[in-house]
Amino acid sequence: MAQAATGRSHRIRHIPELDLLPVMNLFCVIIPFLLLSASFLEITIIEMSPTEGISSGAGTTSLAQSEEQQLQPKVIITDQEMFLSTVFRTQSISPAFPEERNGEIVNSYDFEALSEALESFRIELDNAFPSIPIHKITILTVDNVRYDNIVKTIDVCADHGFDQPGLQVAVYSVIQRTIAAGAGGAQQ
């Protein structure tokens, strides 16, 4: 057979097809493996209701506060003690005590005592003000209270119908004034 003048053959070259089967097999094996070995994150969101700030000065009370806001209880957590402040009184719930968590010694509180105090307050509140539904509660803390103690407090409050928690962080002197102001009312 004679070659063309350009020096090329008239034969048509066949380009071999790409064999994608091994690549597809690899993906069929690797994708389930990656899905099984991936760690999935679960993000929990705690919904908080807005709270009114605590002034560090003398403070004024608004005449326009609703009855629910005036009856709203506060759980006060310091690094030494936990209190429940209500329209009726401010009472000490539990002193802080050391507890070992994950190999480290941290402050903890008696959440059973908080549960009992909230149950007692809920009964007292329902008897005194049956027409006013109270769902809000304020968790007032100093800045060095552990997050897990705050979450446990919110969980205990939610178990007793206070499902709209608000969180406030204040300096220790403001918290002491809040405790003293509540203690000036009817003491148990």
Side-chain angles (χ1 to χ4, degrees):
M1 195 175 222
Q3 287 189 343
T6 60
R8 295 187 185 186
S9 165
H10 286 291
R11 279 195 266 163
I12 300 175
R13 289 188 177 175
H14 292 283
I15 301 174
E17 292 183 22
L18 292 176
D19 189 10
L20 295 178
L21 189 60
V23 175
M24 290 171 52
N25 286 338
L26 176 69
F27 282 120
C28 286
V29 170
I30 202 167
I31 288 175
F33 174 74
L34 291 175
L35 287 175
L36 289 174
S37 66
S39 60
F40 295 96
L41 297 177
E42 180 178 324
I43 299 174
T44 304
I45 298 173
I46 301 174
E47 291 187 24
M48 305 296 268
S49 64
T51 60
E52 293 184 15
I54 295 177
S55 65
S56 58
T60 60
T61 57
S62 171
L63 296 176
Q65 285 184 332
S66 71
E67 291 174 331
E68 183 181 0
Q69 288 173 334
Q70 292 173 356
L71 297 174
Q72 179 178 339
K74 290 183 180 150
V75 177
I76 303 168
I77 307 172
T78 68
D79 51 352
Q80 298 153 353
E81 197 166 1
M82 179 188 288
F83 299 89
L84 178 61
S85 177
T86 66
V87 68
F88 304 113
R89 71 189 134 296
T90 296
Q91 65 184 15
S92 174
I93 301 297
S94 165
F97 58 88
E99 180 178 77
E100 184 176 342
R101 291 187 196 155
N102 298 328
E104 106 182 74
I105 303 295
V106 297
N107 279 347
S108 187
Y109 305 90
D110 186 359
F111 294 103
E112 292 291 326
L114 175 63
S115 179
E116 292 169 8
L118 284 171
E119 183 177 346
S120 169
F121 171 66
R122 176 56 82 183
I123 291 168
E124 198 173 3
L125 186 67
D126 289 343
N127 290 338
F129 305 98
S131 63
I132 303 172
I134 306 294
H135 295 283
K136 293 183 180 180
I137 191 164
T138 300
I139 314 297
L140 180 59
T141 70
V142 291
D143 61 352
N144 60 349
V145 172
R146 290 180 54 93
Y147 181 72
D148 55 346
N149 287 329
I150 294 171
V151 171
K152 284 181 184 179
T153 302
I154 290 171
D155 290 342
V156 169
C157 293
D159 290 343
H160 292 284
F162 300 106
D163 52 1
Q164 296 176 7
L167 180 64
Q168 291 182 346
V169 178
V171 294
Y172 190 74
S173 61
V174 172
I175 291 179
Q176 287 301 102
R177 279 197 298 266
T178 303
I179 294 168
Q187 277 281 337
Q188 191 175 10

